[in-house]
Amino acid sequence: MYTAHPDRYTDMPYRRTGRSGLKLPALSLGLWHNFGPDRPVETQRAILRRAFDLGVTHFDLANNYGPPPGAAESAFGEALAADFAPYRDEMIISTKAGYLMWPGPYGEWGSRKYLLSSLDQSLKRMGLDYVDVFYSHRPDPETPLEETMGALHSAVQQGKALYVGVSNYSAEQTREAARILGELGTPLLIHQPRYSMLDRRPEDEGLLDALDELQTGSIAYSPLEQGLLTGRYLDGIPEDSRAASDSPFLNRDALTEDLVGQLRALDDIAKSRGQSLAQMALAWVLRGGRVTSALVGASSPRQLEDSVAAIRNLDFDAEELARIDAVIGR
């Protein structure tokens, strides 16, 4: 029987999410790719246990995570029942709906029908009465935003979610979502954008400014840019890497000589800080406090430990930030 480490809250910093009462760990665990039937169950459970022992209290899922879709929630539900039942009130569990889950016109996007049906399925897979955060995973170009936000509000009213969020929404869409939710009486807690040293769109397109204005929290996904910022590609493409498999998220064509040169230069800066490239990339996303938490994945407890070690140095001086920008061509 798993017993959580007694010192699990000693080192991890926790940050308030917007103007809410909820605090999130600086690093959260995402269950996107490494939780499903193609991974050993004991490895999955070992990652979850190690995360919790290190103070990672937030576990981020979505209905379509796996593969196959739904598998991550089912695997997480089994781990909850086996290891974490006594600790449910110490955990933040989030899920999302927006991408394709089942055939027909009601199996994706942002209708009330889809969102609330999906949430019921997610709760069943995880064996939960409620999730802490329920997200609209992507904006729906055809469904009125009032309907999508109304469904999130209903999830809270029904006691199936404590908070709500959005992901992949533009600054303008986020402002409108927050307005609608505010009128309904359910604040917009958090936004989950893609953000990394190599992907500055939340800065360039005004999303971070909008979140500051709204006093809404943020949690960055892909802070390691699909593994590019882990140091795996400094000397070529490993055969067991995501790029070698020509994943739709990262392929060989992306690894240009210029990019590899940038990665090596960034690695040199990380070494001067006493960090791995991955640790510096995570610290960079968390710099200055504009981002509440950074989402990391893990294929092993050791990989998770390396990511969590980023919290030992989250500060940058002006020269370091300028060097990073210069490498990337900012």
Side-chain angles (χ1 to χ4, degrees):
M1 181 66 182
Y2 166 71
T3 300
H5 197 286
D7 297 328
R8 59 191 176 277
Y9 296 118
T10 301
D11 297 323
M12 178 64 68
Y14 298 87
R15 298 177 167 195
R16 188 168 300 280
T17 312
R19 65 176 182 272
S20 77
L22 184 69
K23 293 183 177 181
L24 292 181
L27 294 176
S28 299
L29 181 64
L31 281 71
W32 179 28
H33 267 317
N34 296 311
F35 290 81
D38 60 339
R39 306 279 179 164
V41 172
E42 278 309 309
T43 300
Q44 297 176 43
R45 288 178 61 181
I47 293 168
L48 295 171
R49 291 169 179 168
R50 189 64 182 131
F52 196 64
D53 283 345
L54 291 170
V56 177
T57 53
H58 178 210
F59 300 88
D60 179 82
L61 300 104
N63 58 357
N64 64 327
Y65 287 180
E73 289 180 331
S74 295
F76 186 67
E78 292 170 6
L80 278 173
D83 293 331
F84 296 102
Y87 305 106
R88 172 62 182 98
D89 290 338
E90 297 182 41
M91 304 172 77
I92 302 300
I93 301 169
S94 61
T95 196
K96 314 176 198 73
Y99 287 92
L100 181 65
M101 274 301 289
W102 59 85
Y106 322 119
E108 63 178 326
W109 294 109
S111 71
R112 180 180 183 85
K113 167 72 173 174
Y114 167 68
L115 291 175
L116 294 179
S117 297
S118 177
L119 178 56
D120 284 342
Q121 292 181 23
S122 292
L123 293 174
K124 185 176 181 179
R125 281 191 289 268
M126 291 188 283
L128 293 173
D129 296 322
Y130 72 95
V131 290
D132 296 279
V133 187
F134 182 48
Y135 289 87
S136 168
H137 205 163
R138 61 173 173 171
D140 183 339
E142 297 184 350
T143 297
L145 195 55
E146 287 81 2
E147 179 174 339
T148 301
M149 295 304 107
L152 297 185
H153 171 67
S154 291
V156 174
Q157 294 299 104
Q158 294 169 5
K160 296 175 181 178
L162 300 184
Y163 302 93
V164 299
V166 297
S167 182
N168 300 306
Y169 279 52
S170 69
E172 181 180 357
Q173 290 166 332
T174 301
R175 286 191 175 94
E176 183 63 5
R179 182 193 67 78
I180 295 166
L181 285 168
E183 291 178 355
L184 292 171
T186 297
L188 177 62
L189 174 81
I190 195 166
H191 188 299
Q192 187 172 130
R194 178 168 178 160
Y195 184 43
S196 74
M197 286 194 294
L198 299 178
D199 187 344
R200 307 286 187 91
R201 284 175 293 177
E203 295 175 21
D204 297 340
E205 297 174 2
L207 178 61
L208 294 184
D209 291 337
L211 297 178
D212 287 343
E213 294 166 16
L214 296 168
Q215 293 183 276
T216 293
S218 60
I219 178 166
Y221 76 87
S222 293
L224 301 180
E225 200 59 28
Q226 299 296 325
L228 286 176
L229 293 170
T230 62
R232 292 201 75 193
Y233 300 101
L234 299 177
D235 299 306
I237 301 176
E239 286 307 311
D240 62 345
S241 67
R242 184 171 295 173
S245 68
D246 283 330
S247 160
F249 305 103
L250 180 64
N251 57 55
R252 292 178 183 273
D253 293 341
L255 269 295
T256 63
E257 288 186 18
D258 286 346
L259 177 57
V260 172
Q262 289 179 334
L263 298 178
R264 288 173 177 164
L266 291 172
D267 187 56
D268 288 340
I269 299 172
K271 287 175 180 175
S272 72
R273 291 170 47 82
Q275 291 182 312
S276 68
L277 177 55
Q279 289 164 353
M280 184 179 76
L282 293 169
W284 183 91
V285 164
L286 293 166
R287 77 200 186 287
R290 296 188 83 185
V291 170
T292 313
S293 184
L295 267 176
V296 297
S299 58
S300 69
R302 183 176 179 179
Q303 186 182 43
L304 177 70
E305 290 166 358
D306 181 73
S307 293
V308 171
I311 64 175
R312 297 172 188 162
N313 185 10
L314 297 178
D315 297 323
F316 291 80
D317 61 35
E319 181 183 356
E320 288 172 327
L321 293 174
R323 288 174 65 196
I324 289 169
D325 284 349
V327 166
I328 296 170
R330 299 281 295 184

